[in-house]
């Protein structure tokens, strides 16, 4: 037995099986519970009960494969949606940075305009003072 490998006795369809794997025993029990659920789901159908054991096993395998492909498809869709959201976040961060740069540039312009207004105000005061002396 390899290090870290778990063994557990589980009941599937009324029979005891020994499952072995590197996953924890709770996971292995979940697998057995899933199998029991799928078997019960299939057995609920009158048509399934009339099938030969070979056809029953094939139908059970098809149902499990269907679940697998649906889950795989959903995982792919979620991954694509996640990628799209990551792209949107990247774009928004870029937009925030651009806006911040524009804002800081605007602040600098405001400060420059304030300095120009102050300089012009001083010039007006100086010119008014000179005009007052001339009069």
């Amino acid at each position: 037995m390899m290090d870290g490998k778990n063994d557990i006795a589980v009941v599937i369809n009324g029979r005891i099986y020994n499952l072995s794997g590197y996953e924890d025993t709770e996971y292995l029990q979940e697998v057995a519970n899933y199998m029991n659920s799928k078997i019960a789901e299939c057995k609920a159908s009158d048509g399934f009960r009339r099938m030969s054991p070979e056809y029953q096993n094939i139908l059970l395998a098809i149902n499990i494969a269907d679940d697998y492909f649906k889950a795989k498809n959903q995982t792919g869709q979620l991954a694509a949606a996640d990628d799209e959201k990551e792209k949107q976040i990247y774009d928004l961060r870029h937009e925030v940075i651009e806006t911040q740069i524009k804002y800081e540039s605007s602040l600098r312009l405001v400060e420059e305009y304030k300095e120009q207004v102050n300089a012009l105000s001083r010039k007006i005061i100086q010119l008014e003072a000179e005009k007052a002396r001339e009069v």
Side-chain angles (χ1 to χ4, degrees), residues 86-98:
E86 287 293 327
K87 183 186 177 307
Q88 288 174 353
I89 288 170
Y90 175 83
D91 291 345
L92 287 171
R93 285 182 179 156
H94 186 69
E95 189 176 323
V96 165
I97 290 169
E98 285 180 355

Side-chain angles (χ1 to χ4, degrees), residues 69-83:
F69 283 107
K70 284 177 180 172
K72 184 179 176 185
N73 184 34
Q74 184 178 17
T75 300
Q77 290 174 353
L78 290 172
D82 188 48
D83 289 346

Side-chain angles (χ1 to χ4, degrees), residues 54-112:
E54 179 182 356
Y55 278 113
Q56 288 178 346
N57 289 335
I58 293 295
L59 185 59
L60 180 62
I62 288 171
N63 275 273
I64 292 169
D66 179 52
D67 287 351
Y68 167 77
F69 283 107
K70 284 177 180 172
K72 184 179 176 185
N73 184 34
Q74 184 178 17
T75 300
Q77 290 174 353
L78 290 172
D82 188 48
D83 289 346
E84 179 59 28
K85 288 189 185 332
E86 287 293 327
K87 183 186 177 307
Q88 288 174 353
I89 288 170
Y90 175 83
D91 291 345
L92 287 171
R93 285 182 179 156
H94 186 69
E95 189 176 323
V96 165
I97 290 169
E98 285 180 355
T99 303
Q100 187 175 4
I101 289 169
K102 288 177 184 176
Y103 172 73
E104 290 170 359
S105 176
S106 296
L107 285 178
R108 282 191 297 276
L109 279 174
V110 166
E111 288 303 315
E112 288 175 16

